[in-house]
Amino acid sequence: MNKKDLRIILENEENDFLYQKSKSNLNITFNRIAFIFFIIFIICIIYSIHLIHLGSRKEKTENLSNFKQTSSILYRADIVDRNQKYLVKTINSIDIGISPTKIIDEKKLLLNLRYIFPNKNYYEVKKRIRKGKFFYFEKKISEENYDKLMQLGDKSIEPIDNLIRIYPQKNLFSHIIGQIDNDNNGISGLEKSLDEDLKNVQKPITLTVDKDIQYLIREELIRFNEIFSTKGSAAILMNVSNGEILSLVSLPDFDPNKREKISDISFINRATKGVYEFGSVFKTFTLAAAFDQKIIEPQTEFADLPKSLNCAGFPIREYDDNIPSNLTAEQILIRSGNIGSVRIGQKLGEEKFKSFLSKIGISEKINFDIEEVGNPIKFNWGKCPLATASFGHGITTTLLQLAKAYSIIVNGGYDINPKLIKNYKENKKGKILDEEVSKKILPILRKIVSTKEGTASLANVNGYEIGGKTGTAQKSMIGGYSNKKINSFISVFPTSKPQFVLAVMLDEPKTNKDYIYHYRDGSNIKYKGTPFNTAGWTTVETVGQIVDKIGPILATKYKEIN
């Protein structure tokens, strides 16, 4: 009985234990724990991946720091012309370096590299590995070879982010754009003067230049460099109202894509950096200054002008003995008289002429968007220097400053600053000359081109109302002057409502016995051979041909107004 009771009690306790119910509770608890563990596991994986990523970024940052790579170096803004055509474009690239201290198996590494780059000089590679310092193995690597290298999994092979600066126009804007060095820092042109902006500005920098016009002007300069066997040449096309430069060419030029170190002085920027005596183009300033001071009028007569005069023992002569002895002020400029210009300068006086040249920006260094700007040689004024400066002898400036000065003289007397960078905010222009100066000088500049007495009839392109002044100057040398010349022509068009100045110079041109000139007076006369090595036969012809090409683009055709 007792045993039976005991058995019954055990059975009751077993039933009271409710094993099945407890099993269910354990399952629920286990499932919750598993779920929580799973979530924690996933979070750990995510954080582990993130830490690995941060670690790799840190390593890359340290590498970049070691080789002086900064984020600003890895960005450089594009540059476009006034019509948003690319002049400079930046694309990302990768350079491959090798860190010798991280090499585990040199033999295996070299074998793999030789397989991918069979044309490398591995004798030199081994020498550089022996030095134990990081070195660049391949720059601007292709995508295909990059993938092959990364598949090797060798820690000694280190990719370094870099950029490639591409100049799609090659030589066309070389003197304007300039170059960068291997560390992507600007070393000349706008690349240098805008270096900080190019590393930080997000949008492309827009210039005032026009790619198509630049191309046409450069092509004509190249052609006439060959025709007249010049040492070089330059041209500037500028808006006379706001100073925007549509074209600036200097030859010879270079291809900035090659990143070559250029030490040959022949590659100087003749448009902005070269400082020259330009000769008779200064006669326009002499007459304009006299008009501004209201000393003379266009019809003021100068009688009994001698063919020569002496100054401090040195003779000043007319370039042409056929120039009449009696001339008006207007005729003196049209016929480019030396003696008449001296007489006007003497009426003007040293201080007033000096002040006028400074006012129009001729005699001091000009501020410009690129650093390659020449500084006119200091001019020591006096009675004889006043006489020679009156016809452009002994006094120097740059072609850029000539373009500026002529613009002021013909635009109503408003001061302007030549510029290459497009500025959509128009600055107020200050009036620095009497408006009458432009009204008086423009018809005279037109007659220099349109009349037989003028020195620039070869530039009388029908429909464009070109005016301007020629300059033929001997190049100075130690102890005197050589027979080598600078021939220039500063033209303005249309003279009834000036919009553009086109300044062109040829450095040491020579005559060409085979070149055929086509007269523009409607006679259809052709003339073979260059009779004189003067601006009227060299630079003027060049300007005429340039305007033929660029005129339709500029849309400046006007009917002659008599």
Side-chain angles (χ1 to χ4, degrees), residues 308-317 384:
S308 67
L309 54 84
N310 287 317
C311 192
F314 294 97
I316 297 174
R317 300 186 180 90
C384 282

Side-chain angles (χ1 to χ4, degrees), residues 458-486:
L458 288 170
N460 193 25
V461 183
N462 186 37
Y464 292 97
E465 277 190 89
I466 299 174
K469 183 69 188 79
T470 55
T472 303
Q474 291 177 302
K475 295 182 81 171
S476 61
M477 62 179 187
I478 298 174
Y481 287 83
S482 69
N483 291 325
K484 298 174 182 178
K485 295 179 179 179
I486 293 289

Side-chain angles (χ1 to χ4, degrees), residues 29-49:
T29 302
F30 177 80
N31 288 338
R32 285 179 178 173
I33 291 171
F35 178 75
I36 293 170
F37 179 81
F38 176 76
I39 294 298
I40 293 172
F41 179 73
I42 293 298
I43 292 172
C44 287
I45 290 175
I46 292 172
Y47 272 93
S48 297
I49 293 171

